[in-house]
Amino acid sequence: MADVEVPGQARQGWFVTLEGPDGSGKSAQSERLRAAAAAAGQDVVLVREPGGTAGGERIRAILNDAGPVGVRLARRTDALLFNAARAQLLDEVIRPALRRGALVISDRYADSTLAYQGCGSELPLDELRPVVEFATGGLLPDRTILIDVPVEVGLARKSAAETTRWEAHFDRAFHERVRAGYLSFAAADPARWVVVDGTAPADDVFAALWGVLLDMPGLGPRLAR
Ligand code: TMP
């Protein structure tokens, strides 16, 4: 597979991304999906952004250190760092896994940049899209699941200890813009996006997510075996 997506060229594997506001529960749900797919005998790889490679984890450390008491990063620097980590993850993990026919589940992907740096930090989306395109080589997920929760629910679920320094200065309006952004992306591309109510009990959320995987062409029959 080239590091740029060739339109119309078939690729193997399945690529599913989970998106959602902070405290939506997507990290725990991603792990449940991974475990269930593995139990069904499916080659499955779970990754988390930013990070997932040696280089990406170093970039994550820089992002974590930013904020009021850390290094100062401009919004555009944030956007480039998230995308640098993403390019590395694609090169080292995601593309090789797809090439061998695996199911790749990513806890956040390119839509996080559009939602957080675009809608949240208010960088123009039409400037961010080419940055994301460059980092990903145009690789889009087959399905993107938005685990949607109202801002106050998500924030209440996150403990202060979980809040990284670069998140600490985001106000409520920022999180409202992120949520609205996600919902607008999902509405604009229903063929790729599925919205799941993240306020439902965790087992119901999981059942909805698993149902999305079962509906995917080629993958569903393998998971249902
Ligand atoms: P998480 O580990 O709780 O998902 O946190 C990652 C944080 O990084 C979260 O606040 C969203 C943020 N983020 C961006 O702002 N842009 C991005 O491109 C990605 C992947 C994450």
Side-chain angles (χ1 to χ4, degrees):
M1 190 185 299
D3 63 0
V4 170
E5 206 62 11
V6 180
Q9 180 181 295
R11 68 171 162 77
Q12 296 166 314
W14 296 269
F15 186 23
V16 175
T17 60
L18 269 70
E19 297 284 353
D22 299 316
S24 61
K26 66 186 168 32
S27 300
Q29 293 289 351
S30 315
E31 172 49 32
R32 279 184 78 172
L33 282 181
R34 187 207 60 75
Q42 174 63 39
D43 178 2
V44 54
V45 174
L46 171 62
V47 293
R48 175 177 86 142
E49 282 206 12
T53 63
E57 290 300 329
R58 292 177 78 160
I59 294 170
R60 184 181 180 96
I62 296 171
L63 286 161
N64 269 323
D65 187 43
V69 289
V71 295
R72 196 194 75 83
L73 295 178
R75 295 177 301 168
R76 284 167 196 271
T77 313
D78 269 351
L80 291 168
L81 287 177
F82 280 117
N83 278 283
R86 179 166 302 135
Q88 194 63 29
L89 186 65
L90 279 155
D91 187 75
E92 279 188 42
V93 183
I94 296 178
R95 285 183 190 278
L98 291 175
R99 212 181 286 131
R100 67 165 195 263
L103 164 64
V104 176
I105 300 170
S106 188
D107 178 355
R108 298 198 182 281
Y109 185 63
D111 298 298
S112 280
T113 295
L114 300 177
Y116 282 79
Q117 280 63 58
C119 305
S121 297
E122 299 184 298
L123 285 173
L125 286 175
D126 58 354
E127 291 182 25
L128 280 172
R129 285 204 170 93
V131 175
V132 167
E133 176 87 13
F134 177 73
T136 63
L139 182 69
L140 280 173
D142 298 299
R143 288 284 181 287
T144 297
I145 306 173
L146 170 60
I147 304 185
D148 181 49
V149 293
V151 169
E152 60 275 13
V153 174
L155 291 180
R157 282 185 189 167
K158 281 205 102 176
S159 70
E162 281 181 282
T163 307
T164 56
R165 275 187 272 174
W166 93 88
E167 293 165 315
H169 61 277
F170 293 161
D171 59 11
R172 191 199 160 94
F174 174 96
H175 292 288
E176 292 288 2
R177 289 195 298 275
V178 169
R179 183 184 185 212
Y182 272 135
L183 288 169
S184 72
F185 302 155
D189 187 2
R192 172 159 74 90
W193 287 80
V194 179
V195 182
V196 169
D197 175 9
T199 64
D203 287 350
D204 295 355
V205 175
F206 175 73
L209 301 186
W210 187 243
V212 172
L213 299 197
L214 289 178
D215 279 346
M216 288 176 68
L219 180 64
R222 295 167 65 100
L223 297 179
R225 271 199 302 232

